Amino acid sequence: MAAAVGRVLRLCRRWGAGPRAQTLRLICTTTAVQKRNVGASGPEKYTEAFIKKQIEEFNLGKRHLANMMGEDPETFTQEDIDRAIAYLFPSGLFDKRARPLMKHPTEVFPEQRKIQWGEDGRPFHFLFYTGKQSYYSLMHETYEKFLNVQKHQDQLTAQDLPLQKEKRNLAGSRWLTKIELEEMLLEKVSDNDYSRFIQLLQKLATLPCADIEEKYIQKFSKEVPVQLQKVVIEPLQHDERGVAFSTGEGKRKTARATAVVYDNGTGKITVNGIDILHYFPVLQDREQLLFPFQFLGRIGKHDMVCTVSGGGRSAQAGAIRLASAKALRSFVTEKEVEFMRQAGLLTVDPRVKERKKPGQEGPRRKFTWKKR
């Protein structure tokens, strides 16, 4: 190889002048230039034939996957595919977009814009040569709506009629994101272009008579689902002796617990009819169980009777902790309940034992490598 390179360099020095030098340079750089051009050619254009082939491969793969899982290929849905992929290819990656997936090609490959010029080569749209014809068309249309609303307001003012001052409530909605706008327009939008469009929409939405263009504004807004719902706390109940009590349920892994907290107690706690010191001999489990009482400063003020099943001692202590925290909500104020929520006392612990992976010794541990 080195000898061949040396011969080429000598030829280059010998033919350094004249037309042969240009030919040799062209031959030496053809491969590199081609690679660079292929890399800079941009994204692949997904034709109808390509999408059709991908759909056929997807249907074939779905049938193979259904046969592997022992399911009927005709009734194998997308949820079954996702469940099978998660089982066959377990992944600990946090971001779901980085995990293996198997989706229909129409969901994976982006939709392409239709042909934009005629047989004579002339583009249909007058904004074609701007490079962002859909975006600028949208800006033109939105500004035209803005002028129409202003014209309507001027007419009402000239006739001494009151303007509609009921402004649109934007609290429970949001504007389309940049990605959603790009999917609607089928073209890329820069951050500055997106911010300009949102500013124009906000000006249109804040006009007094913007309700005449309500349908147009709703095309670019989405309702935000209610994320936090106020939890209804059950009132205190009283037994035959007149003692106030409250109940709560909790879970941790496979353990399920029910706790009954009584008011005006002495701090006595029983679990499945056994004293807490005998049922939980480990100090860490007892501290876990008593943490809600310690957080509220109510140790020794309540009695508690617990019933728990399933799981180990640590999981049972976590389930009782959640059940007792839910029961204590009836004895405290709303402000203290909010403090408990912020401290994580009212949140279910979702951690479970990680499953063993195929081809390795445990969830993370690999087999010991041996050379011989």
Side-chain angles (χ1 to χ4, degrees):
M1 182 67 184
V5 173
R7 286 195 297 271
V8 172
L9 292 177
R10 286 194 296 271
L11 288 173
C12 291
R13 287 195 297 268
R14 186 182 302 172
W15 298 338
R20 290 186 177 181
Q22 299 178 358
T23 305
L24 184 61
R25 293 193 190 99
L26 179 61
I27 294 174
C28 294
T29 59
T30 298
T31 305
V33 171
Q34 287 179 352
K35 291 182 178 180
R36 185 171 67 251
N37 292 340
V38 170
S41 60
E44 182 182 357
K45 301 300 181 182
Y46 306 113
T47 60
E48 294 182 0
F50 175 80
I51 297 296
K52 184 178 179 180
K53 182 180 179 181
Q54 294 296 321
I55 292 176
E56 293 176 355
E57 294 180 355
F58 171 80
N59 294 332
L60 181 61
K62 184 175 72 170
R63 296 187 69 87
H64 287 320
L65 191 62
N67 293 332
M68 292 173 61
M69 301 301 296
E71 301 287 344
D72 184 11
E74 302 299 333
T75 59
F76 206 61
T77 62
Q78 184 62 44
E79 296 180 359
D80 299 331
I81 293 176
D82 297 339
R83 195 181 308 109
I85 292 296
Y87 176 78
L88 295 174
F89 305 100
S91 176
L93 297 174
F94 182 77
D95 194 348
K96 293 184 178 180
R97 294 177 297 177
R99 299 177 183 177
L101 59 87
M102 181 178 173
K103 300 286 186 182
H104 197 274
T106 56
E107 301 180 20
V108 176
F109 298 103
E111 185 181 356
Q112 299 293 321
R113 193 181 297 133
K114 297 181 180 179
I115 297 177
Q116 304 171 17
W117 50 84
E119 296 180 356
D120 56 352
R122 295 184 178 181
F124 296 139
H125 204 281
F126 73 98
L127 295 173
F128 174 79
Y129 291 106
T130 61
K132 299 178 181 179
Q133 64 180 35
S134 299
Y135 170 75
Y136 287 115
S137 298
L138 181 64
M139 291 292 289
H140 277 287
E141 184 179 5
T142 307
Y143 188 67
E144 185 179 357
K145 302 289 184 184
F146 181 81
L147 294 179
N148 291 339
V149 174
Q150 283 189 335
K151 183 178 179 180
H152 179 71
Q153 292 179 178
D154 295 340
Q155 292 176 355
L156 294 178
T157 304
Q159 298 175 5
D160 294 333
L161 296 176
L163 301 177
Q164 294 94 334
K165 296 184 179 181
E166 296 182 2
K167 294 186 178 180
R168 187 171 181 268
N169 185 14
L170 302 176
S173 62
R174 64 169 179 84
W175 300 116
L176 293 180
T177 62
K178 177 185 172 183
I179 298 177
E180 293 172 343
L181 184 62
E182 289 177 346
E183 293 177 353
M184 176 185 292
L185 301 179
L186 298 179
E187 64 184 21
K188 293 293 182 180
V189 178
S190 64
D191 294 337
N192 293 333
D193 292 340
Y194 174 74
S195 62
R196 281 195 290 267
F197 174 66
I198 296 300
Q199 290 175 2
L200 184 58
L201 269 181
Q202 290 175 346
K203 288 182 179 179
L204 176 61
T206 53
L207 290 176
C209 298
D211 55 342
I212 63 175
E213 299 293 347
E214 182 71 18
K215 292 184 179 180
Y216 181 79
I217 297 175
Q218 288 180 354
K219 288 169 52 179
F220 307 99
S221 64
K222 286 189 175 182
E223 294 184 359
V224 178
V226 179
Q227 298 181 354
L228 296 178
Q229 296 181 354
K230 190 173 181 180
V231 180
V232 178
I233 301 175
E234 297 183 359
L236 289 173
Q237 305 177 23
H238 296 80
D239 58 4
E240 61 276 2
R241 299 174 298 171
V243 179
F245 71 93
S246 179
T247 61
E249 296 180 354
K251 62 180 181 178
R252 170 78 173 94
K253 292 185 177 179
T254 58
R256 301 292 184 270
T258 303
V260 182
V261 178
Y262 293 91
D263 198 10
N264 299 326
T266 59
K268 182 180 179 181
I269 299 176
T270 59
V271 181
N272 292 342
I274 304 174
D275 188 77
I276 182 177
L277 294 174
H278 296 91
Y279 195 87
F280 292 108
V282 181
L283 176 62
Q284 183 179 359
D285 296 339
R286 297 198 298 270
E287 291 178 346
Q288 180 84 345
L289 189 150
L290 292 172
F291 181 70
F293 297 92
Q294 179 185 3
F295 183 81
L296 296 172
R298 289 177 171 269
I299 294 181
K301 298 181 180 180
H302 299 275
D303 292 339
M304 184 169 63
V305 178
C306 306
T307 304
V308 64
S309 62
R313 287 292 186 261
S314 178
Q316 289 181 352
I320 295 175
R321 163 185 158 165
L322 179 61
S324 61
K326 289 183 177 180
L328 285 172
R329 293 180 302 178
S330 303
F331 295 95
V332 297
T333 61
E334 292 185 0
K335 188 176 181 179
E336 290 176 310
V337 172
E338 179 62 20
F339 290 155
M340 292 173 65
R341 188 192 65 81
Q342 293 177 1
L345 291 174
L346 304 177
T347 305
V348 180
D349 192 349
R351 296 176 300 171
V352 295
K353 181 180 178 181
E354 189 173 350
R355 58 158 287 186
K356 178 189 177 300
K357 309 299 189 304
Q360 55 191 59
E361 190 173 352
R364 303 290 178 89
R365 183 179 176 86
K366 309 299 187 294
F367 290 114
T368 304
W369 180 81
K370 294 182 180 180
K371 186 175 181 179
R372 294 179 181 87

